[in-house]
Amino acid sequence: MSSTKPIKLYSHAGGPNPWKVAIMLNELDIPYETELMDFTKLHQEPFETTNPNGRVPAIEDPNTGITLFESGAILEYLEDTYDKSNKFRYTSSPDKFQSQSWLHFQTSGQGPYFGQRAWFIFYHQEKGLTSVLDRYANEIRRVTGVLDAHLKKQGTQMLVGDKVTYADLAWVPWYWLIPAIMGEEGGMEDLQKKFPTFAAWFDKLSARPAVKKAREDRDKAMKGGH
């Protein structure tokens, strides 16, 4: 895509959602430039015009003139616009719509519960809310168990068939937070031991060069203090 102008990705080092987009951009070999945002700037102009909800990620695509926010919407846009060979998506029923189901489950079932666990550990003023922390820890295990059970029942390598799709890749970055938000309860090692089919799936995704690059870039951003 040598003639493709770089997409601008608004991101943050710590937040997993922008890294879902970075992974997909890497996989599709789309040039992009990342602007790491300070949380204090998200509810101010000019960013508030880019995303009225004041969150990252958001993108500006000079190739189409479109500005988008919400990670799930961005992933679907990138697929529709740039995945001309359908490498990371299905185009016919039922696989097309099942992929959408798993993406929407990620945005509604993984992100919020993992994010709330992170909130009450890192940001909430009142600490030691055991019942709250237990609720979200149990939801993290439950959601991971859903993935494990589905993969085991289907007997497939990926969530929909054996092809890696955007729906699989969307799940990866939130699990990068597990050592920090579940470390005292076994962390990622505990989840992978309890859910071995999930573990095999996650390891396959984590080994992909596009995923590795996104994680390395995130690690660099975190060390840079963003």
Side-chain angles (χ1 to χ4, degrees):
M1 294 190 180
S2 57
S3 62
T4 304
K5 297 176 183 177
I7 290 175
K8 186 170 186 178
L9 170 61
Y10 293 95
S11 183
H12 185 272
N17 285 328
W19 299 102
K20 292 155 54 177
V21 178
I23 287 172
M24 204 71 249
L25 290 166
N26 292 341
E27 289 283 13
L28 292 171
D29 196 25
I30 302 170
Y32 67 100
E33 299 171 348
T34 301
E35 181 171 342
L36 295 170
M37 301 293 293
D38 189 291
F39 281 143
T40 61
K41 305 294 186 183
L42 297 181
H43 291 284
Q44 300 177 17
E45 294 294 356
F47 186 74
E48 202 167 53
T49 295
T50 302
N51 182 358
N53 191 39
R55 298 287 188 275
V56 288
I59 64 165
E60 294 174 352
D61 188 349
N63 303 289
T64 60
I66 196 169
T67 298
L68 280 179
F69 59 95
E70 287 297 321
S71 59
I74 295 171
L75 294 184
E76 291 181 307
Y77 164 77
L78 294 175
E79 281 299 305
D80 288 346
T81 307
Y82 292 100
D83 191 0
K84 302 302 184 183
S85 63
N86 303 317
K87 186 176 180 180
F88 298 102
R89 63 173 176 166
Y90 296 101
T91 58
S92 60
S93 183
D95 295 338
K96 174 182 177 179
F97 301 108
Q98 289 172 348
S99 298
Q100 291 174 357
S101 290
W102 285 103
L103 175 63
H104 285 273
F105 178 35
Q106 188 280 316
T107 59
S108 67
Q110 185 199 32
Y113 290 122
F114 285 47
Q116 286 299 307
R117 172 83 180 187
W119 170 265
F120 281 100
I121 287 177
F122 297 125
Y123 304 113
H124 195 68
Q125 290 185 348
E126 186 178 355
K127 303 298 182 182
L129 298 175
T130 304
S131 63
V132 174
L133 294 173
D134 286 349
R135 165 172 166 71
Y136 293 116
N138 289 335
E139 281 300 306
I140 288 171
R141 296 187 191 98
R142 184 190 70 79
V143 168
T144 305
V146 171
L147 296 172
D148 185 80
H150 170 74
L151 290 163
K152 191 181 301 180
K153 185 176 182 179
Q154 294 294 110
T156 56
Q157 293 188 55
M158 298 295 144
L159 293 174
V160 182
D162 292 320
K163 180 167 80 170
V164 175
T165 71
Y166 65 91
D168 297 284
L169 295 164
W171 288 83
V172 174
W174 275 103
Y175 279 105
W176 295 344
L177 265 66
I178 290 297
I181 65 175
M182 294 282 283
E184 294 182 0
E185 301 181 45
M188 199 64 185
E189 183 178 345
D190 181 69
L191 287 177
Q192 291 185 305
K193 183 177 180 180
K194 187 173 183 180
F195 303 111
T197 310
F198 155 82
W201 168 78
F202 185 79
D203 287 345
K204 288 186 183 77
L205 296 172
S206 298
R208 298 182 65 82
V211 175
K212 287 183 175 180
K213 182 181 185 306
R215 186 158 196 181
E216 289 169 1
D217 289 346
R218 180 180 181 270
D219 288 346
K220 290 177 185 176
M222 292 285 285
K223 289 177 182 177
H226 291 280

